[in-house]
Amino acid sequence: SPLLRALAALHQPVAARRPAMVMTGGDEPPNVVPGKAAAAVDPEAKDDEEDKHSHRSDDTVWESAEGKDEDDLIENTVGQSKQDTLFIKLEHFVSKQFGKKGSEKRPSVTLEIVEQHRSEEDFWCIIDGKVFDLGPFLRGEAKHPGGKSILTRQLGLGGQSADERFVRWHHPSGNTVRRAPDYFIGDLEGYVPKAKAKKLLQHLLTAYMGSREEPRRTFMLPAKGEP
């Protein structure tokens, strides 16, 4: 009877009840629209996806944060972005060891010299106008908490300008800003922060546009009793 056949079907294994999928040489795999080529992969998007699923298993170091008592003395960072806070603290620890920016004690380096250090074992990067040597991590002389792969990815995709990835992967209360002075080479000569450069450009543009305006004509009204 139909009832008995239905009960018997329920006792079959799941695989036996599922209809088989038969694909011929001309069939398209599932989820692929026939006649459409695969979309181009954005390298940055692919990199982000790799970062999301990466287990950092090469030489990742797990450690606790240093300087917690010092961080507690900071009242707040309201009004600051993560990047602002990171760069302020980075400058704080670099200046403690090398003096304030522009002082005689503090070294500087030209862009031409920085560009000579961009190999997989000799890599200098620029963060907020400061040059750091990542070579010791790549050569195995020091351990990077995030592993070597994150540094080679910076070299391959981000180049020597590392602001964006540094902010993405580090926390203002982490150990990086405290240890960064150990790898500090010097300030990049001629560097102008983006925010300052934007203000300067805006000021120059305003001055330029103002100089092109035609002088306004003024009209004097005659005083009472004058013709």
Side-chain angles (χ1 to χ4, degrees):
S1 67
L3 179 59
L4 291 175
R5 284 197 297 272
L7 291 173
L10 289 175
H11 289 284
Q12 289 182 344
V14 174
R17 298 200 303 269
R18 185 183 298 130
M21 179 181 291
V22 179
M23 293 182 65
T24 64
D27 290 334
E28 293 280 358
N31 301 324
V32 174
V33 180
K36 286 192 176 181
V41 179
D42 179 11
E44 282 292 339
K46 183 180 179 182
D47 175 54
D48 293 342
E49 192 65 23
E50 288 177 2
D51 290 343
K52 192 186 302 180
H53 297 290
S54 173
H55 296 293
R56 309 265 178 259
S57 59
D58 49 359
D59 55 356
T60 303
V61 179
W62 297 98
E63 56 188 13
S64 59
E66 299 173 359
K68 296 182 283 294
D69 295 336
E70 184 179 354
D71 280 337
D72 288 340
L73 297 177
I74 300 175
E75 293 185 5
N76 63 65
T77 55
V78 175
Q80 293 178 4
S81 65
K82 179 185 177 184
Q83 175 172 299
D84 291 339
T85 308
L86 262 173
F87 289 173
I88 289 171
K89 295 194 72 174
L90 186 63
E91 172 60 28
H92 168 71
F93 287 105
V94 169
S95 63
K96 281 179 70 174
Q97 187 167 329
F98 294 93
K100 292 184 178 181
K101 190 177 293 186
S103 65
E104 293 182 2
K105 179 184 175 183
R106 186 152 159 166
S108 61
V109 60
T110 64
L111 182 60
E112 289 74 21
I113 294 178
V114 174
E115 290 177 339
Q116 296 172 14
H117 300 268
R118 53 193 309 171
S119 70
E120 292 190 358
E121 291 192 349
D122 180 21
F123 179 32
W124 291 6
C125 72
I126 305 166
I127 301 170
D128 190 34
K130 301 171 183 63
V131 181
F132 296 92
D133 182 8
L134 302 183
F137 300 111
L138 295 171
R139 294 189 295 269
E141 299 165 6
K143 288 285 187 180
H144 185 270
K148 288 171 60 176
S149 62
I150 198 170
L151 303 181
T152 55
R153 194 176 294 125
Q154 169 63 45
L155 176 61
L157 292 173
Q160 292 182 287
S161 181
D163 281 4
E164 191 273 333
R165 288 177 178 276
F166 179 79
V167 173
R168 186 198 306 181
W169 284 109
H170 296 91
H171 192 277
S173 296
N175 298 335
T176 303
V177 291
R178 289 178 171 79
R179 297 177 183 175
D182 296 338
Y183 305 94
F184 179 68
I185 299 293
D187 293 309
L188 182 65
E189 292 184 7
Y191 172 79
V192 179
K194 288 182 179 179
K196 188 175 180 180
K198 186 177 180 181
K199 286 183 179 178
L200 178 61
L201 181 61
Q202 199 169 29
H203 173 73
L204 292 173
L205 183 61
T206 302
Y208 173 73
M209 294 302 293
S211 67
R212 291 175 58 88
E213 289 182 359
E214 293 184 5
R216 296 180 179 179
R217 295 180 179 179
T218 57
F219 297 90
M220 298 292 294
L221 294 175
K224 288 184 178 180
E226 293 184 359

